[in-house]
Amino acid sequence: MRHFPSTAPELRQLALQVLLQTDPEEKCRLALAIADDVTLNGQAELNEPDGIPGRPVRPELVPPGQVGRRAMHTVEGRAVLIHALAHIELNAINLAADILWRFAGLPEQFYRDWLRVMKEEAYHFQLLSDHLQQQGYHYGDFTAHNSLWEMAAKTRQDLIARLALVPRTLEARGLDVTPGVAVKLAQAGDARAAEILGIIYRDEIGHVAIGNRWYLHFCTEQGLDPVALYPRLALQYKAPRLRGPFNLEARRTAGFSDKELQLMQQADQP
């Protein structure tokens, strides 16, 4: 990939500090403390240190099928769900921090965009963690899985694949399911959780849009067909199969083309 003349070593070093931090609350504090107008300069490649990503001792990471049941009709069941959502948001902080520090020599706006994403993910985690505590639980009380970060690890040397398979695939799935989960939480009497999911849903449309915009940007720069490339990347990196129903309105708002959406729906047919 051809590099661009502007990079952001200060921001990238700060993002790496966020990524390496093991305490979730301190990770959020560090992310939110980074100024929006932090200086961007230099083109230095950063060496990858040990300890990526920094994560707390708990929760215990298990295969997805072994994560606790998320029953809506009990306080604990809803807490398991909120915990799972908090874990997704903590992973999302790490994902944004990783894409910020790992890939050097990119346009300035690329770094500005992912700084915004990292800070909003930190805010989301704080909202969910605080709500979990109000229910009598803490982040780490339940098991969690590592699927989001596993895909980040697979694509650590391929920026286009990272953009295609993390924000445009794994995170975009939240656009499909979050509104329905919010409705169920509200029906179960947890209006605050439903309100938090509304905030997350609004922001995640923007995050997926950022992923889409930069995926298209780099595909165009390299003369690649973004629609034709996607299934090849999904196969190469063993991405999960896209399953409907799809939130077509949200996905369009987030930058998916009608052609892509049509292909998604066709692939989802039995």
Side-chain angles (χ1 to χ4, degrees):
M1 176 179 296
R2 179 171 66 84
H3 289 321
F4 289 76
S6 176
T7 55
E10 282 88 358
L11 173 56
R12 290 170 59 223
Q13 290 163 0
L14 290 170
L16 184 55
Q17 292 177 19
V18 173
L19 183 61
L20 292 169
Q21 175 56 238
T22 59
D23 179 78
E25 295 302 329
E26 182 64 9
K27 188 185 292 285
C28 291
R29 189 194 69 78
L30 289 174
L32 292 168
I34 299 174
D36 291 337
D37 60 351
V38 63
T39 301
L40 310 180
N41 58 59
Q43 299 187 46
E45 295 286 343
L46 300 180
N47 294 324
E48 182 165 355
D50 295 332
I52 289 177
R55 55 166 60 104
V57 175
R58 300 171 65 224
E60 177 188 1
L61 298 179
V62 299
Q66 295 180 21
V67 175
R69 291 189 60 195
R70 306 169 186 182
M72 291 285 186
H73 63 281
T74 68
V75 173
E76 181 172 321
R78 292 193 295 275
V80 171
L81 171 60
I82 299 300
H83 185 276
L85 297 171
H87 184 69
I88 290 171
E89 297 302 322
L90 190 67
N91 267 288
I93 301 170
N94 288 336
L95 291 167
D98 190 74
I99 205 170
L100 274 167
W101 88 266
R102 184 173 296 278
F103 299 101
L106 303 178
E108 177 176 320
Q109 191 59 46
F110 178 90
Y111 298 104
R112 298 290 186 196
D113 284 348
W114 291 104
L115 173 59
R116 169 192 153 193
V117 171
M118 182 173 67
K119 294 173 79 167
E120 289 180 352
E121 305 291 18
Y123 173 58
H124 298 166
F125 177 83
Q126 288 180 331
L127 290 174
L128 291 165
S129 179
D130 289 348
H131 187 63
L132 192 63
Q133 290 180 43
Q134 291 171 11
Q135 309 306 307
Y137 299 92
H138 293 83
Y139 178 69
D141 285 352
F142 305 104
T143 56
H145 66 79
N146 200 34
S147 297
L148 265 175
W149 186 258
E150 287 171 357
M151 183 57 73
K154 290 179 185 178
T155 58
R156 64 187 179 276
Q157 296 181 333
D158 188 337
L159 176 58
I160 289 181
R162 170 72 65 87
L163 293 167
L165 302 176
V166 176
R168 299 182 77 251
T169 300
L170 299 179
E171 293 182 296
R173 184 60 181 152
L175 306 186
D176 302 326
V177 302
T178 298
V181 174
V183 168
K184 290 180 180 178
L185 284 166
Q187 291 173 342
D190 196 338
R192 177 54 180 162
E195 180 185 8
I196 292 170
L197 261 62
I199 295 169
I200 292 173
Y201 174 68
R202 176 201 67 200
D203 292 345
E204 291 297 339
I205 291 175
H207 299 175
V208 176
I210 287 171
N212 261 319
R213 184 163 65 249
W214 288 108
Y215 174 70
L216 295 174
H217 173 92
F218 293 122
C219 282
T220 299
E221 189 201 42
Q222 295 191 37
L224 300 169
D225 180 338
V227 177
L229 178 62
Y230 177 82
R232 298 202 298 269
L233 292 173
L235 180 64
Q236 178 182 349
Y237 291 99
K238 298 180 173 62
R241 177 188 166 194
L242 296 175
R243 296 182 181 276
F246 302 111
N247 186 336
L248 300 180
E249 180 181 358
R251 283 179 175 266
R252 284 193 186 95
T253 302
F256 286 93
S257 69
D258 287 338
K259 182 177 180 180
E260 286 180 289
L261 295 176
Q262 182 180 15
L263 290 173
M264 284 181 198
Q265 294 174 88
Q266 289 174 352
D268 189 48
Q269 296 301 313

